[in-house]
Amino acid sequence: MLGGEWSGAGPSGTLSRKCANCAGNLTFDAAIGSMVCHMCGKVYDTEGLKEKGSFALKFREKEYADGEQIDQEDLDKVEYVCDSCGAQIVTETKTTATFCAFCGSPTLISRRLTRQFKPDMIIPFSVSKEKALSLYDEFVSSAKRIPKDFRSAKIRERIRGIYMPVWLVTGDCMTDISASGLRKEGSMRFSYDLSRAVTYSLAAVPFSGSDKLSQRMLEAVEPFDINGAVEFNTSMLQGFYAYKYDNLPERMIGRIEKRFNLYGEQVGKNSFDKSYEIGSDSYLTALTGVSVIYCLVPMWFMCYEYEGLYYQFVINGQTGEVCGRLPEKDSLFGKIVKKAGKFTPAIVSIVAALVSGILVGIALKDLYGAEPELYFFYLTVMLFAVFGISFIFVYRFAYRRYIRKLMEKEDQKSPYELDKRPPAEQYFVYNGKIDMEAHDKFGSAMKVGEDRDNRHYKVL
Ligand SMILES: [Zn+2]
Ligand SMILES: [Zn+2]
């Protein structure tokens, strides 16, 4: 459909264009080189305003007004709302929720659906609760110093199977690449201006439709096998919860573009021959077609609070991939250092001097009790000596070492670091249209100098 009409002058005196679908204003999106309607998510081509995809759902769930008759197919579901964190969970009528899986609060209010519930697809659970618990135990036992609570039955019992709303975004991409490439052949070095355009498609890239599951967490347990997805059916919710989406794909266009752009960069880098040494490269990915599928994905989910912070633990319910964060308990010395800061060696030494002072004081009393001056003299010397030795020892061997360890730890990857997002290959459509247009240009040739130093290259 050809859409978009010129509709008079905008506030800045320029002509603005309207979306053919919803009459919202179209804005040019430089990241993908297209016009985008931020009202309904439709994407148009800049010149002819031809529709070329949409970030929106094919079916937008309708909100039920108060007292409005709800659809026959929604009568078999109930909605639970958590009083404390606002989580909105949908279950089929036979499954009851007794506490909130996200914050642990027992105050849940059940009510009839306030919005239609119509996902396109659902990936069923393959990982059982027993398996999920054993994965949790394994994860916890990999941690060195975690609070005792985390191994307790009370916490383990809080694990819940939840279907999370995910937007699977498919797009035709064109990545424009420009870079400089150096290639060595024998005693010569050739430099090229590499300029290429790669056309390809990425399919079913997941984006979290809920603020209860961060995009980072979702990416850490990806990928899901989309071939395992089936059409949504309420009976599949039995025994599980489903989370209502609270963020629409057309509201996260920026986030989607960002990930596609990063993937474009990977695809672009892979387009270079290994013989090139690449410098000053840039990549720009245009999305020439976008479509979104609303899919529920299975997750085993656990959330726990420790010292005021929430820690999440998530398992991909299809593949068993685990991710999560755990708190680390401080050692006694660590606790003192954190509380007392730089004064730690002095404080530890004063305590050591006082404790040994009392003990030695008793012993010395037997020896010099009759000569009080001598007694106090020896005691004072001893206190200073213990304080001094202890200070040097604590400062050199414990405090400094601990601080160094803390600093090293900051540079190191934490053992509970979340996995990276899967690479572009994971979502690459290999049997789709893949095309590369290269306009590489020869730049210059240089002779490699005897001493192999770049500054001695002779330009021919
Ligand atoms: Zn629109
Ligand atoms: Zn809650």
Side-chain angles (χ1 to χ4, degrees):
M1 177 174 61
L2 273 167
E5 275 159 24
W6 297 90
S7 60
S12 60
T14 56
L15 290 168
S16 68
R17 293 166 167 198
K18 298 279 185 201
C19 168
N21 182 52
C22 74
N25 284 328
L26 294 181
T27 46
F28 179 69
D29 189 326
I32 57 169
S34 301
M35 302 292 281
V36 175
C37 172
H38 284 269
M39 294 279 286
C40 72
K42 288 239 187 286
V43 182
Y44 298 95
D45 136 351
T46 322
E47 263 123 62
L49 283 193
K50 209 168 135 193
E51 188 184 325
K52 54 177 200 179
S54 172
F55 284 100
L57 299 177
K58 282 179 213 86
F59 180 83
R60 172 84 78 96
E61 292 174 355
K62 178 183 79 180
E63 302 277 346
Y64 290 122
D66 251 350
E68 186 183 343
Q69 186 73 34
I70 73 169
D71 290 353
Q72 190 62 34
E73 56 194 297
D74 280 333
L75 287 174
D76 52 2
K77 301 176 200 82
V78 210
E79 194 171 292
Y80 287 92
V81 184
C82 172
D83 216 11
S84 124
C85 78
Q88 296 187 45
I89 305 145
V90 173
T91 69
E92 47 86 60
T93 37
K94 282 184 245 77
T95 311
T96 49
T98 48
F99 65 86
C100 174
F102 296 101
C103 72
S105 160
T107 23
L108 292 177
I109 298 147
S110 89
R111 63 183 186 197
R112 53 166 229 156
L113 293 203
T114 52
R115 188 174 74 206
Q116 285 177 310
F117 191 75
K118 265 188 197 297
D120 299 319
M121 310 289 278
I122 182 169
I123 297 176
F125 272 90
S126 313
V127 174
S128 67
K129 186 172 182 180
E130 291 68 46
K131 178 72 187 160
L133 282 172
S134 80
L135 287 169
Y136 173 74
D137 291 340
E138 214 178 282
F139 179 73
V140 166
S141 66
S142 72
K144 258 183 272 155
R145 274 200 302 261
I146 63 154
K148 265 207 302 286
D149 284 8
F150 287 81
R151 295 196 174 85
S152 74
K154 198 180 90 208
I155 288 222
R156 283 175 92 250
E157 266 318 297
R158 294 224 326 225
I159 199 160
R160 281 291 175 273
I162 308 179
Y163 283 110
M164 293 304 285
V166 157
W167 315 126
L168 300 176
V169 180
T170 296
D172 300 324
C173 310
M174 189 165 85
T175 301
D176 263 312
I177 306 156
S178 67
S180 63
L182 276 179
R183 178 183 265 166
K184 216 174 123 188
E185 276 169 39
S187 65
M188 300 291 283
R189 262 198 169 213
F190 300 95
S191 103
Y192 294 87
D193 292 325
L194 305 175
S195 153
R196 292 144 181 229
V198 190
T199 324
Y200 56 94
S201 300
L202 296 177
V205 184
F207 291 87
S208 174
S210 161
D211 60 6
K212 293 287 174 212
L213 175 70
S214 70
Q215 180 66 20
R216 190 69 195 79
M217 211 73 163
L218 174 66
E219 288 172 6
V221 295
E222 281 177 26
F224 289 90
D225 178 9
I226 293 315
N227 296 319
V230 295
E231 212 172 295
F232 174 74
N233 178 324
T234 309
S235 66
M236 300 182 74
L237 291 185
Q238 203 158 3
F240 297 106
Y241 302 151
Y243 196 79
K244 264 173 79 172
Y245 69 73
D246 45 36
N247 203 354
L248 285 161
E250 60 262 42
R251 302 272 169 271
M252 44 172 101
I253 296 176
R255 188 190 296 174
I256 295 171
E257 289 170 355
K258 203 168 152 208
R259 189 167 180 191
F260 272 75
N261 255 318
L262 283 168
Y263 279 162
E265 190 173 327
Q266 284 178 18
V267 170
K269 286 199 156 98
N270 288 339
S271 81
F272 298 125
D273 204 298
K274 291 278 168 292
S275 62
Y276 282 117
E277 202 182 292
I278 302 295
S280 64
D281 45 348
S282 79
Y283 309 86
L284 202 73
T285 302
L287 274 171
T288 55
V290 203
S291 62
V292 180
I293 287 177
Y294 171 12
C295 185
L296 292 178
V297 298
M299 297 270 204
W300 285 102
F301 202 97
M302 197 194 279
C303 187
Y304 28 71
E305 195 192 342
Y306 179 71
E307 290 184 345
L309 287 174
Y310 282 102
Y311 294 87
Q312 283 188 340
F313 171 77
V314 177
I315 303 173
N316 179 324
Q318 184 189 31
T319 63
E321 182 154 355
V322 165
C323 98
R325 288 185 197 277
L326 287 171
E328 203 171 332
K329 224 171 41 178
D330 283 321
S331 64
L332 182 65
F333 189 68
K335 265 186 203 153
I336 299 174
V337 169
K338 277 197 183 151
K339 285 247 159 69
K342 271 195 262 181
F343 303 107
T344 306
I347 291 170
V348 172
S349 306
I350 288 170
V351 172
L354 285 178
V355 170
S356 52
I358 292 168
L359 292 175
V360 178
I362 296 166
L364 286 181
K365 194 147 194 156
D366 293 339
L367 283 172
Y368 301 104
E371 299 160 276
E373 280 117 68
L374 216 50
Y375 171 68
F376 285 109
F377 173 74
Y378 282 130
L379 193 61
T380 314
V381 168
M382 202 269 337
L383 280 176
F384 275 103
V386 172
F387 175 81
I389 292 166
S390 162
F391 184 86
I392 291 165
F393 181 81
V394 173
Y395 182 74
R396 294 218 33 182
F397 297 102
Y399 180 73
R400 271 185 27 193
R401 212 172 269 196
Y402 182 79
I403 296 293
R404 210 178 308 135
K405 239 165 97 186
L406 277 187
M407 280 161 74
E408 272 167 20
K409 219 160 122 193
E410 266 166 30
D411 298 334
Q412 265 171 26
K413 194 173 166 247
S414 141
Y416 319 125
E417 193 93 343
L418 300 185
D419 281 352
K420 288 217 170 64
R421 71 167 66 89
E425 288 85 38
Q426 185 61 50
Y427 298 106
F428 203 85
V429 183
Y430 287 95
N431 53 8
K433 199 179 132 209
I434 304 166
D435 202 28
M436 184 171 87
E437 238 180 87
H439 305 285
D440 299 350
K441 269 196 301 236
F442 173 73
S444 60
M446 294 164 278
K447 199 164 174 65
V448 181
E450 302 292 330
D451 56 358
R452 311 175 71 143
D453 184 330
N454 283 349
R455 282 170 298 176
H456 295 272
Y457 287 165
K458 289 187 201 109
V459 178
L460 289 181

